Amino acid sequence: MSHKERRHKEREDMKQMIADAAVDLIIKDGYENMSIRKIANIIEYSPTTIYNYYPDKAAIISYMVEGVQNKIVAECKRIITENSSLSADKVLILCINAYLQCIVKEPQMGKAILLSGAVLFTEEDNDEDMIDSGKALMSSLLQKGEAQGMFRKLDENITLIILTSLLGFALSSIENQLYALDDYDHLVSVFSDMILRGILNNDFFNGRVECL
């Protein structure tokens, strides 16, 4: 490992340690009561040191959100690439499942994001032309399905509506610890199927939907 790579790793490790301390504080005391000074006390560094990594506590939340978003996007891109032969509806289901599973893999982080009031892939994520945009990936899948006739004519806001619905289900799963249930995968499957049925062009499938 080069000196530059080592320095980068050390910086990322420090940012993660700060974020982990912030998660603990948010869950314990709430976002409004979380402060740079309290984080500094937990990790035993000075507040000045923390400011070298984050300008304020909102930046720590942004770091958490970006990390979760990047994991979701990376997994969905992998799914899309590895399943290029599948129809749009099948790939959409796989991506929806990946979204929901990625968030609950780190329930404490997800809960902290929820309590902070931050959200994932909302109207603020306007850079839909970028390949790494979560909204762009979802929009692309929906447009593909619509072009193939699998999905009905969709409203221009459908991407945001679906992503918001997914976020609500995932964060509710964390808040109510549904992710710990033995049948959580089944709950995800039912929710995914509900979303898909809401956009399917049933005339195209002629009964195939019962097999989904």
Side-chain angles (χ1 to χ4, degrees), residues 169-207:
F169 180 86
L171 295 184
S172 177
S173 297
I174 291 172
E175 184 66 17
N176 296 290
Q177 298 188 354
L178 299 180
Y179 64 88
L181 298 176
D182 291 338
D183 63 344
Y184 178 69
D185 288 346
H186 175 68
L187 295 178
V188 169
S189 178
V190 171
F191 185 75
S192 302
D193 183 68
M194 181 182 68
I195 290 179
L196 181 60
R197 287 172 183 268
I199 63 175
L200 283 177
N201 178 1
N202 291 326
D203 291 337
F204 176 89
F205 282 86
N206 290 322

PDB file of all heavy atoms in Angstrom, residues 169-207:
ATOM      1  N   PHE A 169     -40.962   1.749   3.692  1.00  0.00           N
ATOM      2  CA  PHE A 169     -41.040   0.355   4.122  1.00  0.00           C
ATOM      3  C   PHE A 169     -39.764  -0.059   4.855  1.00  0.00           C
ATOM      4  O   PHE A 169     -39.819  -0.707   5.912  1.00  0.00           O
ATOM      5  CB  PHE A 169     -41.251  -0.556   2.914  1.00  0.00           C
ATOM      6  CG  PHE A 169     -41.343  -2.014   3.269  1.00  0.00           C
ATOM      7  CD1 PHE A 169     -42.553  -2.581   3.634  1.00  0.00           C
ATOM      8  CD2 PHE A 169     -40.218  -2.822   3.234  1.00  0.00           C
ATOM      9  CE1 PHE A 169     -42.642  -3.930   3.957  1.00  0.00           C
ATOM     10  CE2 PHE A 169     -40.289  -4.166   3.559  1.00  0.00           C
ATOM     11  CZ  PHE A 169     -41.506  -4.727   3.928  1.00  0.00           C
ATOM     12  N   ALA A 170     -38.609   0.323   4.292  1.00  0.00           N
ATOM     13  CA  ALA A 170     -37.335  -0.073   4.896  1.00  0.00           C
ATOM     14  C   ALA A 170     -37.164   0.531   6.286  1.00  0.00           C
ATOM     15  O   ALA A 170     -36.770  -0.160   7.236  1.00  0.00           O
ATOM     16  CB  ALA A 170     -36.176   0.358   3.994  1.00  0.00           C
ATOM     17  N   LEU A 171     -37.466   1.817   6.420  1.00  0.00           N
ATOM     18  CA  LEU A 171     -37.281   2.473   7.712  1.00  0.00           C
ATOM     19  C   LEU A 171     -38.323   2.003   8.730  1.00  0.00           C
ATOM     20  O   LEU A 171     -38.027   1.904   9.925  1.00  0.00           O
ATOM     21  CB  LEU A 171     -37.334   3.984   7.537  1.00  0.00           C
ATOM     22  CG  LEU A 171     -36.195   4.565   6.693  1.00  0.00           C
ATOM     23  CD1 LEU A 171     -36.273   6.084   6.646  1.00  0.00           C
ATOM     24  CD2 LEU A 171     -34.834   4.130   7.236  1.00  0.00           C
ATOM     25  N   SER A 172     -39.523   1.681   8.266  1.00  0.00           N
ATOM     26  CA  SER A 172     -40.527   1.101   9.158  1.00  0.00           C
ATOM     27  C   SER A 172     -40.073  -0.275   9.627  1.00  0.00           C
ATOM     28  O   SER A 172     -40.291  -0.653  10.786  1.00  0.00           O
ATOM     29  CB  SER A 172     -41.873   0.998   8.436  1.00  0.00           C
ATOM     30  OG  SER A 172     -42.841   0.377   9.257  1.00  0.00           O
ATOM     31  N   SER A 173     -39.428  -1.018   8.737  1.00  0.00           N
ATOM     32  CA  SER A 173     -38.904  -2.335   9.102  1.00  0.00           C
ATOM     33  C   SER A 173     -37.848  -2.229  10.182  1.00  0.00           C
ATOM     34  O   SER A 173     -37.762  -3.077  11.075  1.00  0.00           O
ATOM     35  CB  SER A 173     -38.316  -3.031   7.864  1.00  0.00           C
ATOM     36  OG  SER A 173     -39.314  -3.273   6.900  1.00  0.00           O
ATOM     37  N   ILE A 174     -37.043  -1.161  10.093  1.00  0.00           N
ATOM     38  CA  ILE A 174     -36.015  -0.947  11.112  1.00  0.00           C
ATOM     39  C   ILE A 174     -36.646  -0.526  12.428  1.00  0.00           C
ATOM     40  O   ILE A 174     -36.333  -1.061  13.495  1.00  0.00           O
ATOM     41  CB  ILE A 174     -35.005   0.115  10.628  1.00  0.00           C
ATOM     42  CG1 ILE A 174     -34.175  -0.434   9.469  1.00  0.00           C
ATOM     43  CG2 ILE A 174     -34.093   0.553  11.780  1.00  0.00           C
ATOM     44  CD1 ILE A 174     -33.288   0.599   8.816  1.00  0.00           C
ATOM     45  N   GLU A 175     -37.556   0.447  12.352  1.00  0.00           N
ATOM     46  CA  GLU A 175     -38.183   0.985  13.557  1.00  0.00           C
ATOM     47  C   GLU A 175     -38.940  -0.098  14.324  1.00  0.00           C
ATOM     48  O   GLU A 175     -38.930  -0.134  15.552  1.00  0.00           O
ATOM     49  CB  GLU A 175     -39.134   2.121  13.180  1.00  0.00           C
ATOM     50  CG  GLU A 175     -39.772   2.828  14.355  1.00  0.00           C
ATOM     51  CD  GLU A 175     -38.784   3.601  15.218  1.00  0.00           C
ATOM     52  OE1 GLU A 175     -37.657   3.863  14.742  1.00  0.00           O
ATOM     53  OE2 GLU A 175     -39.142   3.935  16.359  1.00  0.00           O
ATOM     54  N   ASN A 176     -39.596  -0.996  13.589  1.00  0.00           N
ATOM     55  CA  ASN A 176     -40.392  -2.053  14.214  1.00  0.00           C
ATOM     56  C   ASN A 176     -39.673  -3.401  14.256  1.00  0.00           C
ATOM     57  O   ASN A 176     -40.279  -4.422  14.593  1.00  0.00           O
ATOM     58  CB  ASN A 176     -41.719  -2.207  13.459  1.00  0.00           C
ATOM     59  CG  ASN A 176     -42.575  -0.960  13.544  1.00  0.00           C
ATOM     60  OD1 ASN A 176     -43.099  -0.624  14.592  1.00  0.00           O
ATOM     61  ND2 ASN A 176     -42.714  -0.248  12.433  1.00  0.00           N
ATOM     62  N   GLN A 177     -38.386  -3.391  13.874  1.00  0.00           N
ATOM     63  CA  GLN A 177     -37.536  -4.587  13.892  1.00  0.00           C
ATOM     64  C   GLN A 177     -38.132  -5.737  13.078  1.00  0.00           C
ATOM     65  O   GLN A 177     -37.960  -6.912  13.415  1.00  0.00           O
ATOM     66  CB  GLN A 177     -37.266  -5.023  15.330  1.00  0.00           C
ATOM     67  CG  GLN A 177     -36.510  -3.976  16.143  1.00  0.00           C
ATOM     68  CD  GLN A 177     -36.072  -4.478  17.502  1.00  0.00           C
ATOM     69  OE1 GLN A 177     -36.405  -5.578  17.930  1.00  0.00           O
ATOM     70  NE2 GLN A 177     -35.297  -3.665  18.203  1.00  0.00           N
ATOM     71  N   LEU A 178     -38.799  -5.396  11.993  1.00  0.00           N
ATOM     72  CA  LEU A 178     -39.333  -6.435  11.108  1.00  0.00           C
ATOM     73  C   LEU A 178     -38.208  -7.208  10.443  1.00  0.00           C
ATOM     74  O   LEU A 178     -38.375  -8.395  10.108  1.00  0.00           O
ATOM     75  CB  LEU A 178     -40.228  -5.805  10.037  1.00  0.00           C
ATOM     76  CG  LEU A 178     -41.465  -5.038  10.527  1.00  0.00           C
ATOM     77  CD1 LEU A 178     -42.232  -4.474   9.341  1.00  0.00           C
ATOM     78  CD2 LEU A 178     -42.357  -5.937  11.374  1.00  0.00           C
ATOM     79  N   TYR A 179     -37.065  -6.542  10.238  1.00  0.00           N
ATOM     80  CA  TYR A 179     -35.931  -7.190   9.577  1.00  0.00           C
ATOM     81  C   TYR A 179     -35.422  -8.398  10.357  1.00  0.00           C
ATOM     82  O   TYR A 179     -34.737  -9.266   9.806  1.00  0.00           O
ATOM     83  CB  TYR A 179     -34.791  -6.188   9.387  1.00  0.00           C
ATOM     84  CG  TYR A 179     -34.205  -5.672  10.680  1.00  0.00           C
ATOM     85  CD1 TYR A 179     -33.172  -6.340  11.326  1.00  0.00           C
ATOM     86  CD2 TYR A 179     -34.687  -4.509  11.270  1.00  0.00           C
ATOM     87  CE1 TYR A 179     -32.643  -5.880  12.520  1.00  0.00           C
ATOM     88  CE2 TYR A 179     -34.170  -4.035  12.458  1.00  0.00           C
ATOM     89  CZ  TYR A 179     -33.148  -4.721  13.079  1.00  0.00           C
ATOM     90  OH  TYR A 179     -32.636  -4.253  14.263  1.00  0.00           O
ATOM     91  N   ALA A 180     -35.746  -8.458  11.653  1.00  0.00           N
ATOM     92  CA  ALA A 180     -35.281  -9.572  12.491  1.00  0.00           C
ATOM     93  C   ALA A 180     -36.224 -10.764  12.449  1.00  0.00           C
ATOM     94  O   ALA A 180     -35.903 -11.836  12.976  1.00  0.00           O
ATOM     95  CB  ALA A 180     -35.117  -9.097  13.934  1.00  0.00           C
ATOM     96  N   LEU A 181     -37.385 -10.591  11.824  1.00  0.00           N
ATOM     97  CA  LEU A 181     -38.353 -11.684  11.751  1.00  0.00           C
ATOM     98  C   LEU A 181     -37.892 -12.758  10.766  1.00  0.00           C
ATOM     99  O   LEU A 181     -37.237 -12.455   9.771  1.00  0.00           O
ATOM    100  CB  LEU A 181     -39.722 -11.156  11.323  1.00  0.00           C
ATOM    101  CG  LEU A 181     -40.389 -10.135  12.251  1.00  0.00           C
ATOM    102  CD1 LEU A 181     -41.691  -9.648  11.632  1.00  0.00           C
ATOM    103  CD2 LEU A 181     -40.639 -10.742  13.632  1.00  0.00           C
ATOM    104  N   ASP A 182     -38.270 -13.984  11.029  1.00  0.00           N
ATOM    105  CA  ASP A 182     -37.889 -15.089  10.150  1.00  0.00           C
ATOM    106  C   ASP A 182     -38.488 -14.941   8.750  1.00  0.00           C
ATOM    107  O   ASP A 182     -37.915 -15.416   7.770  1.00  0.00           O
ATOM    108  CB  ASP A 182     -38.331 -16.430  10.741  1.00  0.00           C
ATOM    109  CG  ASP A 182     -37.542 -16.790  11.995  1.00  0.00           C
ATOM    110  OD1 ASP A 182     -36.422 -16.259  12.159  1.00  0.00           O
ATOM    111  OD2 ASP A 182     -38.046 -17.587  12.805  1.00  0.00           O
ATOM    112  N   ASP A 183     -39.654 -14.288   8.680  1.00  0.00           N
ATOM    113  CA  ASP A 183     -40.320 -14.162   7.383  1.00  0.00           C
ATOM    114  C   ASP A 183     -40.130 -12.774   6.759  1.00  0.00           C
ATOM    115  O   ASP A 183     -40.951 -12.353   5.944  1.00  0.00           O
ATOM    116  CB  ASP A 183     -41.809 -14.480   7.515  1.00  0.00           C
ATOM    117  CG  ASP A 183     -42.548 -13.503   8.425  1.00  0.00           C
ATOM    118  OD1 ASP A 183     -41.884 -12.765   9.181  1.00  0.00           O
ATOM    119  OD2 ASP A 183     -43.805 -13.483   8.367  1.00  0.00           O
ATOM    120  N   TYR A 184     -39.053 -12.087   7.139  1.00  0.00           N
ATOM    121  CA  TYR A 184     -38.820 -10.754   6.563  1.00  0.00           C
ATOM    122  C   TYR A 184     -38.690 -10.828   5.039  1.00  0.00           C
ATOM    123  O   TYR A 184     -39.225  -9.970   4.325  1.00  0.00           O
ATOM    124  CB  TYR A 184     -37.572 -10.108   7.153  1.00  0.00           C
ATOM    125  CG  TYR A 184     -37.275  -8.747   6.542  1.00  0.00           C
ATOM    126  CD1 TYR A 184     -38.105  -7.663   6.790  1.00  0.00           C
ATOM    127  CD2 TYR A 184     -36.181  -8.557   5.695  1.00  0.00           C
ATOM    128  CE1 TYR A 184     -37.865  -6.420   6.227  1.00  0.00           C
ATOM    129  CE2 TYR A 184     -35.936  -7.319   5.123  1.00  0.00           C
ATOM    130  CZ  TYR A 184     -36.778  -6.255   5.397  1.00  0.00           C
ATOM    131  OH  TYR A 184     -36.539  -5.027   4.816  1.00  0.00           O
ATOM    132  N   ASP A 185     -38.007 -11.835   4.544  1.00  0.00           N
ATOM    133  CA  ASP A 185     -37.860 -11.985   3.088  1.00  0.00           C
ATOM    134  C   ASP A 185     -39.221 -12.111   2.420  1.00  0.00           C
ATOM    135  O   ASP A 185     -39.430 -11.598   1.316  1.00  0.00           O
ATOM    136  CB  ASP A 185     -36.997 -13.200   2.754  1.00  0.00           C
ATOM    137  CG  ASP A 185     -35.533 -12.984   3.087  1.00  0.00           C
ATOM    138  OD1 ASP A 185     -35.147 -11.823   3.313  1.00  0.00           O
ATOM    139  OD2 ASP A 185     -34.780 -13.971   3.126  1.00  0.00           O
ATOM    140  N   HIS A 186     -40.132 -12.786   3.094  1.00  0.00           N
ATOM    141  CA  HIS A 186     -41.482 -12.928   2.547  1.00  0.00           C
ATOM    142  C   HIS A 186     -42.195 -11.577   2.536  1.00  0.00           C
ATOM    143  O   HIS A 186     -42.897 -11.243   1.560  1.00  0.00           O
ATOM    144  CB  HIS A 186     -42.283 -13.930   3.362  1.00  0.00           C
ATOM    145  CG  HIS A 186     -43.719 -14.050   2.946  1.00  0.00           C
ATOM    146  ND1 HIS A 186     -44.101 -14.583   1.731  1.00  0.00           N
ATOM    147  CD2 HIS A 186     -44.880 -13.672   3.572  1.00  0.00           C
ATOM    148  CE1 HIS A 186     -45.418 -14.534   1.622  1.00  0.00           C
ATOM    149  NE2 HIS A 186     -45.912 -13.987   2.711  1.00  0.00           N
ATOM    150  N   LEU A 187     -42.033 -10.809   3.599  1.00  0.00           N
ATOM    151  CA  LEU A 187     -42.643  -9.483   3.649  1.00  0.00           C
ATOM    152  C   LEU A 187     -42.118  -8.599   2.514  1.00  0.00           C
ATOM    153  O   LEU A 187     -42.879  -7.860   1.881  1.00  0.00           O
ATOM    154  CB  LEU A 187     -42.361  -8.817   4.997  1.00  0.00           C
ATOM    155  CG  LEU A 187     -42.960  -9.478   6.241  1.00  0.00           C
ATOM    156  CD1 LEU A 187     -42.544  -8.718   7.488  1.00  0.00           C
ATOM    157  CD2 LEU A 187     -44.469  -9.541   6.129  1.00  0.00           C
ATOM    158  N   VAL A 188     -40.818  -8.677   2.270  1.00  0.00           N
ATOM    159  CA  VAL A 188     -40.201  -7.922   1.180  1.00  0.00           C
ATOM    160  C   VAL A 188     -40.793  -8.349  -0.152  1.00  0.00           C
ATOM    161  O   VAL A 188     -41.098  -7.520  -1.019  1.00  0.00           O
ATOM    162  CB  VAL A 188     -38.668  -8.116   1.175  1.00  0.00           C
ATOM    163  CG1 VAL A 188     -38.056  -7.565  -0.112  1.00  0.00           C
ATOM    164  CG2 VAL A 188     -38.047  -7.433   2.376  1.00  0.00           C
ATOM    165  N   SER A 189     -40.954  -9.661  -0.317  1.00  0.00           N
ATOM    166  CA  SER A 189     -41.515 -10.192  -1.563  1.00  0.00           C
ATOM    167  C   SER A 189     -42.936  -9.699  -1.791  1.00  0.00           C
ATOM    168  O   SER A 189     -43.307  -9.307  -2.910  1.00  0.00           O
ATOM    169  CB  SER A 189     -41.485 -11.722  -1.529  1.00  0.00           C
ATOM    170  OG  SER A 189     -42.062 -12.257  -2.700  1.00  0.00           O
ATOM    171  N   VAL A 190     -43.740  -9.687  -0.740  1.00  0.00           N
ATOM    172  CA  VAL A 190     -45.132  -9.228  -0.846  1.00  0.00           C
ATOM    173  C   VAL A 190     -45.165  -7.743  -1.197  1.00  0.00           C
ATOM    174  O   VAL A 190     -45.946  -7.307  -2.056  1.00  0.00           O
ATOM    175  CB  VAL A 190     -45.893  -9.481   0.471  1.00  0.00           C
ATOM    176  CG1 VAL A 190     -47.264  -8.796   0.444  1.00  0.00           C
ATOM    177  CG2 VAL A 190     -46.067 -10.979   0.707  1.00  0.00           C
ATOM    178  N   PHE A 191     -44.315  -6.961  -0.535  1.00  0.00           N
ATOM    179  CA  PHE A 191     -44.281  -5.522  -0.801  1.00  0.00           C
ATOM    180  C   PHE A 191     -43.813  -5.250  -2.227  1.00  0.00           C
ATOM    181  O   PHE A 191     -44.378  -4.394  -2.926  1.00  0.00           O
ATOM    182  CB  PHE A 191     -43.343  -4.834   0.198  1.00  0.00           C
ATOM    183  CG  PHE A 191     -43.332  -3.341   0.095  1.00  0.00           C
ATOM    184  CD1 PHE A 191     -44.388  -2.596   0.592  1.00  0.00           C
ATOM    185  CD2 PHE A 191     -42.268  -2.677  -0.496  1.00  0.00           C
ATOM    186  CE1 PHE A 191     -44.382  -1.210   0.499  1.00  0.00           C
ATOM    187  CE2 PHE A 191     -42.257  -1.300  -0.596  1.00  0.00           C
ATOM    188  CZ  PHE A 191     -43.326  -0.559  -0.093  1.00  0.00           C
ATOM    189  N   SER A 192     -42.791  -5.968  -2.674  1.00  0.00           N
ATOM    190  CA  SER A 192     -42.286  -5.803  -4.037  1.00  0.00           C
ATOM    191  C   SER A 192     -43.359  -6.136  -5.058  1.00  0.00           C
ATOM    192  O   SER A 192     -43.535  -5.439  -6.061  1.00  0.00           O
ATOM    193  CB  SER A 192     -41.070  -6.707  -4.262  1.00  0.00           C
ATOM    194  OG  SER A 192     -40.044  -6.429  -3.343  1.00  0.00           O
ATOM    195  N   ASP A 193     -44.094  -7.214  -4.805  1.00  0.00           N
ATOM    196  CA  ASP A 193     -45.158  -7.634  -5.707  1.00  0.00           C
ATOM    197  C   ASP A 193     -46.266  -6.583  -5.764  1.00  0.00           C
ATOM    198  O   ASP A 193     -46.837  -6.321  -6.832  1.00  0.00           O
ATOM    199  CB  ASP A 193     -45.727  -8.974  -5.234  1.00  0.00           C
ATOM    200  CG  ASP A 193     -46.805  -9.507  -6.167  1.00  0.00           C
ATOM    201  OD1 ASP A 193     -46.459  -9.864  -7.309  1.00  0.00           O
ATOM    202  OD2 ASP A 193     -47.974  -9.557  -5.760  1.00  0.00           O
ATOM    203  N   MET A 194     -46.551  -5.960  -4.623  1.00  0.00           N
ATOM    204  CA  MET A 194     -47.585  -4.927  -4.572  1.00  0.00           C
ATOM    205  C   MET A 194     -47.205  -3.735  -5.446  1.00  0.00           C
ATOM    206  O   MET A 194     -48.038  -3.198  -6.193  1.00  0.00           O
ATOM    207  CB  MET A 194     -47.790  -4.461  -3.132  1.00  0.00           C
ATOM    208  CG  MET A 194     -48.879  -3.402  -2.966  1.00  0.00           C
ATOM    209  SD  MET A 194     -49.048  -2.854  -1.240  1.00  0.00           S
ATOM    210  CE  MET A 194     -47.485  -1.978  -1.033  1.00  0.00           C
ATOM    211  N   ILE A 195     -45.938  -3.325  -5.367  1.00  0.00           N
ATOM    212  CA  ILE A 195     -45.477  -2.211  -6.197  1.00  0.00           C
ATOM    213  C   ILE A 195     -45.560  -2.579  -7.674  1.00  0.00           C
ATOM    214  O   ILE A 195     -46.032  -1.799  -8.512  1.00  0.00           O
ATOM    215  CB  ILE A 195     -44.034  -1.827  -5.825  1.00  0.00           C
ATOM    216  CG1 ILE A 195     -44.007  -1.183  -4.436  1.00  0.00           C
ATOM    217  CG2 ILE A 195     -43.434  -0.874  -6.857  1.00  0.00           C
ATOM    218  CD1 ILE A 195     -42.632  -0.800  -3.965  1.00  0.00           C
ATOM    219  N   LEU A 196     -45.104  -3.793  -8.015  1.00  0.00           N
ATOM    220  CA  LEU A 196     -45.106  -4.215  -9.411  1.00  0.00           C
ATOM    221  C   LEU A 196     -46.523  -4.265  -9.975  1.00  0.00           C
ATOM    222  O   LEU A 196     -46.771  -3.804 -11.099  1.00  0.00           O
ATOM    223  CB  LEU A 196     -44.443  -5.588  -9.538  1.00  0.00           C
ATOM    224  CG  LEU A 196     -44.345  -6.149 -10.960  1.00  0.00           C
ATOM    225  CD1 LEU A 196     -43.533  -5.226 -11.850  1.00  0.00           C
ATOM    226  CD2 LEU A 196     -43.738  -7.550 -10.941  1.00  0.00           C
ATOM    227  N   ARG A 197     -47.446  -4.794  -9.206  1.00  0.00           N
ATOM    228  CA  ARG A 197     -48.827  -4.904  -9.681  1.00  0.00           C
ATOM    229  C   ARG A 197     -49.447  -3.532  -9.946  1.00  0.00           C
ATOM    230  O   ARG A 197     -50.348  -3.398 -10.765  1.00  0.00           O
ATOM    231  CB  ARG A 197     -49.668  -5.683  -8.666  1.00  0.00           C
ATOM    232  CG  ARG A 197     -49.382  -7.173  -8.645  1.00  0.00           C
ATOM    233  CD  ARG A 197     -50.099  -7.861  -7.488  1.00  0.00           C
ATOM    234  NE  ARG A 197     -49.753  -9.276  -7.429  1.00  0.00           N
ATOM    235  CZ  ARG A 197     -50.413 -10.260  -8.019  1.00  0.00           C
ATOM    236  NH1 ARG A 197     -51.467  -9.969  -8.771  1.00  0.00           N
ATOM    237  NH2 ARG A 197     -50.029 -11.508  -7.901  1.00  0.00           N
ATOM    238  N   GLY A 198     -48.939  -2.526  -9.250  1.00  0.00           N
ATOM    239  CA  GLY A 198     -49.473  -1.182  -9.432  1.00  0.00           C
ATOM    240  C   GLY A 198     -49.062  -0.529 -10.740  1.00  0.00           C
ATOM    241  O   GLY A 198     -49.679   0.463 -11.155  1.00  0.00           O
ATOM    242  N   ILE A 199     -48.034  -1.068 -11.410  1.00  0.00           N
ATOM    243  CA  ILE A 199     -47.560  -0.447 -12.648  1.00  0.00           C
ATOM    244  C   ILE A 199     -47.658  -1.375 -13.863  1.00  0.00           C
ATOM    245  O   ILE A 199     -47.388  -0.954 -14.989  1.00  0.00           O
ATOM    246  CB  ILE A 199     -46.096   0.042 -12.506  1.00  0.00           C
ATOM    247  CG1 ILE A 199     -45.145  -1.135 -12.246  1.00  0.00           C
ATOM    248  CG2 ILE A 199     -45.972   1.080 -11.409  1.00  0.00           C
ATOM    249  CD1 ILE A 199     -43.681  -0.736 -12.225  1.00  0.00           C
ATOM    250  N   LEU A 200     -48.057  -2.631 -13.640  1.00  0.00           N
ATOM    251  CA  LEU A 200     -48.119  -3.576 -14.754  1.00  0.00           C
ATOM    252  C   LEU A 200     -49.217  -3.218 -15.754  1.00  0.00           C
ATOM    253  O   LEU A 200     -50.279  -2.719 -15.385  1.00  0.00           O
ATOM    254  CB  LEU A 200     -48.376  -4.991 -14.242  1.00  0.00           C
ATOM    255  CG  LEU A 200     -47.201  -5.744 -13.623  1.00  0.00           C
ATOM    256  CD1 LEU A 200     -47.670  -7.099 -13.120  1.00  0.00           C
ATOM    257  CD2 LEU A 200     -46.067  -5.910 -14.627  1.00  0.00           C
ATOM    258  N   ASN A 201     -48.930  -3.506 -16.998  1.00  0.00           N
ATOM    259  CA  ASN A 201     -49.935  -3.433 -18.053  1.00  0.00           C
ATOM    260  C   ASN A 201     -50.540  -4.826 -18.171  1.00  0.00           C
ATOM    261  O   ASN A 201     -49.993  -5.704 -18.828  1.00  0.00           O
ATOM    262  CB  ASN A 201     -49.292  -3.007 -19.371  1.00  0.00           C
ATOM    263  CG  ASN A 201     -50.273  -2.963 -20.518  1.00  0.00           C
ATOM    264  OD1 ASN A 201     -51.456  -3.237 -20.352  1.00  0.00           O
ATOM    265  ND2 ASN A 201     -49.774  -2.641 -21.706  1.00  0.00           N
ATOM    266  N   ASN A 202     -51.657  -5.040 -17.519  1.00  0.00           N
ATOM    267  CA  ASN A 202     -52.233  -6.382 -17.447  1.00  0.00           C
ATOM    268  C   ASN A 202     -52.659  -6.928 -18.811  1.00  0.00           C
ATOM    269  O   ASN A 202     -52.686  -8.140 -19.023  1.00  0.00           O
ATOM    270  CB  ASN A 202     -53.423  -6.387 -16.484  1.00  0.00           C
ATOM    271  CG  ASN A 202     -52.984  -6.195 -15.042  1.00  0.00           C
ATOM    272  OD1 ASN A 202     -51.913  -6.652 -14.647  1.00  0.00           O
ATOM    273  ND2 ASN A 202     -53.800  -5.505 -14.257  1.00  0.00           N
ATOM    274  N   ASP A 203     -52.988  -6.039 -19.739  1.00  0.00           N
ATOM    275  CA  ASP A 203     -53.345  -6.489 -21.078  1.00  0.00           C
ATOM    276  C   ASP A 203     -52.165  -7.171 -21.763  1.00  0.00           C
ATOM    277  O   ASP A 203     -52.324  -8.099 -22.552  1.00  0.00           O
ATOM    278  CB  ASP A 203     -53.804  -5.301 -21.931  1.00  0.00           C
ATOM    279  CG  ASP A 203     -55.128  -4.737 -21.465  1.00  0.00           C
ATOM    280  OD1 ASP A 203     -55.872  -5.493 -20.812  1.00  0.00           O
ATOM    281  OD2 ASP A 203     -55.403  -3.563 -21.733  1.00  0.00           O
ATOM    282  N   PHE A 204     -50.950  -6.705 -21.431  1.00  0.00           N
ATOM    283  CA  PHE A 204     -49.740  -7.281 -22.027  1.00  0.00           C
ATOM    284  C   PHE A 204     -49.491  -8.690 -21.496  1.00  0.00           C
ATOM    285  O   PHE A 204     -49.133  -9.604 -22.229  1.00  0.00           O
ATOM    286  CB  PHE A 204     -48.538  -6.386 -21.725  1.00  0.00           C
ATOM    287  CG  PHE A 204     -47.218  -6.923 -22.211  1.00  0.00           C
ATOM    288  CD1 PHE A 204     -46.766  -6.641 -23.488  1.00  0.00           C
ATOM    289  CD2 PHE A 204     -46.426  -7.723 -21.387  1.00  0.00           C
ATOM    290  CE1 PHE A 204     -45.549  -7.139 -23.942  1.00  0.00           C
ATOM    291  CE2 PHE A 204     -45.215  -8.227 -21.822  1.00  0.00           C
ATOM    292  CZ  PHE A 204     -44.764  -7.930 -23.107  1.00  0.00           C
ATOM    293  N   PHE A 205     -49.701  -8.865 -20.199  1.00  0.00           N
ATOM    294  CA  PHE A 205     -49.347 -10.134 -19.579  1.00  0.00           C
ATOM    295  C   PHE A 205     -50.411 -11.208 -19.765  1.00  0.00           C
ATOM    296  O   PHE A 205     -50.089 -12.401 -19.745  1.00  0.00           O
ATOM    297  CB  PHE A 205     -49.089  -9.911 -18.078  1.00  0.00           C
ATOM    298  CG  PHE A 205     -47.732  -9.307 -17.817  1.00  0.00           C
ATOM    299  CD1 PHE A 205     -47.571  -7.937 -17.853  1.00  0.00           C
ATOM    300  CD2 PHE A 205     -46.637 -10.100 -17.569  1.00  0.00           C
ATOM    301  CE1 PHE A 205     -46.323  -7.368 -17.617  1.00  0.00           C
ATOM    302  CE2 PHE A 205     -45.385  -9.554 -17.343  1.00  0.00           C
ATOM    303  CZ  PHE A 205     -45.231  -8.180 -17.375  1.00  0.00           C
ATOM    304  N   ASN A 206     -51.658 -10.810 -19.906  1.00  0.00           N
ATOM    305  CA  ASN A 206     -52.722 -11.787 -20.145  1.00  0.00           C
ATOM    306  C   ASN A 206     -52.688 -12.952 -19.135  1.00  0.00           C
ATOM    307  O   ASN A 206     -52.644 -14.118 -19.506  1.00  0.00           O
ATOM    308  CB  ASN A 206     -52.641 -12.347 -21.560  1.00  0.00           C
ATOM    309  CG  ASN A 206     -53.012 -11.314 -22.603  1.00  0.00           C
ATOM    310  OD1 ASN A 206     -53.925 -10.514 -22.378  1.00  0.00           O
ATOM    311  ND2 ASN A 206     -52.329 -11.329 -23.726  1.00  0.00           N
ATOM    312  N   GLY A 207     -52.642 -12.600 -17.880  1.00  0.00           N
ATOM    313  CA  GLY A 207     -52.688 -13.642 -16.846  1.00  0.00           C
ATOM    314  C   GLY A 207     -51.340 -14.041 -16.301  1.00  0.00           C
ATOM    315  O   GLY A 207     -51.260 -14.748 -15.316  1.00  0.00           O
TER     316      GLY A 207
END
